[in-house]
Amino acid sequence: LSFSPIPENDVGEMKPLERSKPPERILFDPSIPSEIRRLSNRSASARSASSLNFWNPPPNEDEEPLRVDFRCACFKLNNVSTVSFSVMIKFVIVFEWNDERLIDHEDILTTNDLPGDLWGPDIILENAQNDCEVVYDSFSLLDSGTGRLKRTVTFHGDVYNPMDLEDFPFDWDDLEMKFISLCNWRTLDGSRFGNDVCNRTYTLHAMLRRKDVQFFTLGWGGKIPEFQILGWAQKVTIPDDSALPMCFKFDIHLFRKEAFYYLKVMLPLWLLVITSVAAYGIEPEELASRLEVLVTLLLSTIAFLYIVQESIPKINHLTVIDKVVILSLVTLVLSVLFSFILSRLSEAEAGRLNIVFALVYLSFYVLMNFIVIGPPHYRHMRLRSKMIEKQQQGDDSAAEESSQLLQSSLSRRLPSKAKSARSLRTGRNSLAKSYNLSGGVLDLRGDKNQDSRGDMLNIEE
């Protein structure tokens, strides 16, 4: 190597060596395959497009809130716990909206070309428990000509589900999933998210009247241990005050199958009490022998009480099952009292009253069981048959009336929201209906003509 020395008088004038700039690198999330494919083949013009503020809501010329349509699906519903008031679900909400910034964009033709910071709506499941996971499954471009976008949000985990157990096990449950949104949003890559409590940037609208999609889809066989699904209901609330959240409530109507409790709890209790009548076959003077039988049956009934307590939560009132168990205990205690009274009487009087006490004892138990079990069982069966009957009546008239309603809605556009509301109320008979516990209509559940019916009676078939 050869080099020339630097003159001393030129040391102060030395300049740093100029290095060539490294090529520009684009940062991306390697966990997203679409980002890898998109950024690896991205042109300079595409990079300039991504520099726009796509994380802002889509602009709207008429300054009205953006319309975000949505539909939903349930792919799992199990572990309905009466003890912990929880249900395991896998519930999906699909949003659809238009973004004018993507209309006929020369660099955004497919889903893979979407910018990572693209704005999208988001929602919160209010009654979700801590282990409920939120998964953002997909973010797709449906139509580049209209800028139609779709986002799928999946909630998988336990949700809080309070129950009214006064008539347990002849009870029913409205499994409510309450979703709220303060105009929540999240970008495609999740780098930005938030909400807007000052302005109503978008409004939620259920896809109840679309013919090409179903508003609600049941994504599994529909069988739930211990319960039967009889329908669903939905309601969207958009308050005038933008500081209050929009609310979407979705209810699934569950009826408990009481056969398990008849066979596994009540029938053994009845057999124990009826068996105690055999104690009256022992001579009244032999009190020790009678008490041996009755105390054994009494302890068995107390053991049943603890078994039943494991299947219901700690509540401050008695359920039907509790009343039956306590009634069995009281009846056995009365049998012990009768045996003691008979042992103190003369042989002739004891022999005569022994049969009377046995009949009174058994008749009292049977009558009290009818009083305790009969009314809730009747209400349970009556409400179930009423819901099935109402839904079947809606099925018979839905096909003809729904077609007329759709034709009238397509032939003219109503000029105001008030007329739209009146048209919706007049068309309720053509829609599947969901009935609350008092028998009234809760809410519309989908158009019969688009096969988005709320009743699920064919599940049992």
Side-chain angles (χ1 to χ4, degrees):
L1 296 177
S2 61
F3 57 90
S4 58
I6 300 176
E8 294 181 0
N9 57 354
D10 293 339
V11 173
E13 299 178 0
M14 292 180 62
K15 297 181 179 181
L17 179 63
E18 295 183 358
R19 297 180 180 180
S20 59
K21 295 182 178 180
E24 183 180 0
R25 300 179 64 184
I26 304 173
L27 299 179
F28 63 95
D29 188 356
S31 64
I32 306 177
S34 61
E35 285 285 290
I36 298 176
R37 295 193 300 269
R38 178 170 58 85
L39 294 177
S40 61
N41 300 321
R42 203 170 188 184
S43 61
S45 58
R47 288 195 299 271
S48 63
S50 67
S51 63
L52 298 176
N53 291 331
F54 279 110
W55 60 271
N56 286 326
N60 199 349
E61 296 180 356
D62 54 5
E63 297 183 356
E64 290 292 330
L66 175 69
R67 179 186 177 93
V68 176
D69 300 324
F70 72 94
R71 50 192 171 92
C72 53
C74 185
F75 292 96
K76 181 187 292 185
L77 199 161
N78 54 21
N79 296 338
V80 183
S81 176
T82 309
V83 178
S84 61
F85 287 157
S86 63
V87 181
M88 169 71 75
I89 64 163
K90 185 177 182 181
F91 200 83
V92 178
I93 294 184
V94 181
F95 297 104
E96 292 186 16
W97 72 99
N98 292 334
D99 194 336
E100 298 179 355
R101 296 171 294 186
L102 305 180
I103 296 178
D104 296 330
H105 199 288
E106 59 181 2
D107 301 316
I108 302 177
L109 302 178
T110 65
T111 300
N112 294 332
D113 300 321
L114 295 175
D117 59 347
L118 183 60
W119 180 93
D122 196 7
I123 202 166
I124 299 173
L125 179 56
E126 189 179 47
N127 57 329
Q129 296 191 352
N130 295 333
D131 60 346
C132 186
E133 182 182 5
V134 183
V135 180
Y136 298 90
D137 293 329
S138 65
F139 200 121
S140 308
L141 178 63
L142 300 180
D143 188 355
S144 60
T146 60
R148 190 71 172 176
L149 294 167
K150 180 184 78 170
R151 157 169 272 180
T152 302
V153 183
T154 301
F155 299 89
H156 191 186
D158 291 333
V159 298
Y160 179 62
N161 177 45
M163 299 181 180
D164 183 7
L165 299 177
E166 185 176 356
D167 288 343
F168 174 83
F170 308 103
D171 59 328
W172 50 86
D173 176 36
D174 281 341
L175 170 57
E176 180 184 85
M177 286 162 282
K178 184 179 180 181
F179 300 88
I180 60 173
S181 176
L182 275 167
C183 294
N184 291 67
W185 59 274
R186 180 180 292 268
T187 59
L188 187 153
D189 56 8
S191 59
R192 294 173 180 261
F193 55 89
N195 53 37
D196 193 342
V197 297
C198 299
N199 301 310
R200 185 75 71 192
T201 55
Y202 67 87
T203 55
L204 296 174
H205 300 270
M207 298 182 188
L208 291 173
R209 310 180 69 82
R210 282 182 52 175
K211 299 175 60 177
D212 55 336
V213 295
Q214 297 181 359
F215 171 71
F216 177 66
T217 302
L218 191 65
W220 91 102
K223 294 184 178 180
I224 307 175
E226 195 180 342
F227 287 91
Q228 176 187 5
I229 301 179
L230 286 185
W232 54 269
Q234 67 84 30
K235 184 178 181 181
V236 180
T237 304
I238 304 177
D240 296 332
D241 188 359
S242 61
L244 299 177
M246 293 177 286
C247 182
F248 164 54
K249 291 183 179 180
F250 191 88
D251 297 337
I252 298 179
H253 305 312
L254 304 177
F255 270 67
R256 193 185 300 271
K257 300 175 183 177
E258 69 281 359
F260 170 82
Y261 296 93
Y262 268 129
L263 298 176
K264 300 299 180 66
V265 179
M266 296 184 186
L267 181 60
L269 283 174
W270 294 338
L271 293 177
L272 285 174
V273 175
I274 293 175
T275 304
S276 66
V277 180
Y280 289 88
I282 304 174
E283 293 297 330
E285 295 82 5
E286 300 179 6
L287 180 60
S289 300
R290 283 197 174 196
L291 292 181
E292 183 179 355
V293 174
L294 294 175
V295 171
T296 302
L297 295 175
L298 185 62
L299 293 176
S300 301
T301 306
I302 294 175
F304 256 94
L305 176 62
Y306 285 98
I307 295 174
V308 171
Q309 291 301 319
E310 294 179 357
S311 61
I312 60 175
K314 297 179 180 179
I315 52 180
N316 57 359
H317 59 268
L318 296 177
T319 65
V320 174
I321 286 287
D322 294 330
K323 294 176 182 178
V324 172
V325 174
I326 293 176
L327 177 61
S328 301
L329 290 173
V330 171
T331 305
L332 290 174
V333 171
L334 287 177
S335 182
V336 173
L337 179 61
F338 290 163
S339 299
F340 177 77
I341 295 174
L342 291 174
S343 66
R344 297 300 180 182
L345 298 177
S346 62
E347 184 176 353
E349 292 179 352
R352 185 172 60 255
L353 293 177
N354 188 41
I355 299 177
V356 175
F357 280 174
L359 294 177
V360 171
Y361 162 79
L362 189 60
S363 301
F364 168 79
Y365 184 69
V366 172
L367 178 61
M368 293 303 297
N369 269 277
F370 273 110
I371 295 176
V372 171
I373 300 175
H377 178 83
Y378 173 74
R379 290 194 298 267
H380 187 71
M381 300 303 296
R382 183 171 177 268
L383 179 60
R384 181 186 303 182
S385 60
K386 185 176 181 180
M387 290 186 66
I388 294 175
E389 180 182 357
K390 292 292 185 180
Q391 290 169 349
Q392 290 176 344
Q393 290 178 357
D395 291 343
D396 296 336
S397 60
E400 180 180 356
E401 295 181 1
S402 61
S403 60
Q404 297 176 358
L405 178 65
L406 287 175
Q407 290 177 1
S408 62
S409 63
L410 292 175
S411 62
R412 66 180 185 277
R413 290 182 177 271
L414 297 178
S416 64
K417 294 183 179 179
K419 290 185 177 180
S420 299
R422 287 197 299 270
S423 176
L424 188 61
R425 287 195 295 268
T426 56
R428 283 191 175 185
N429 292 331
S430 66
L431 302 175
K433 299 173 182 176
S434 175
Y435 294 85
N436 60 10
L437 302 183
S438 61
V441 177
L442 270 181
D443 202 84
L444 304 178
R445 302 187 306 166
D447 200 322
K448 293 287 184 177
N449 199 37
Q450 55 178 291
D451 293 330
S452 60
R453 299 183 299 174
D455 59 281
M456 304 173 188
L457 302 179
N458 56 347
I459 291 175
E460 289 299 312
E461 298 176 2

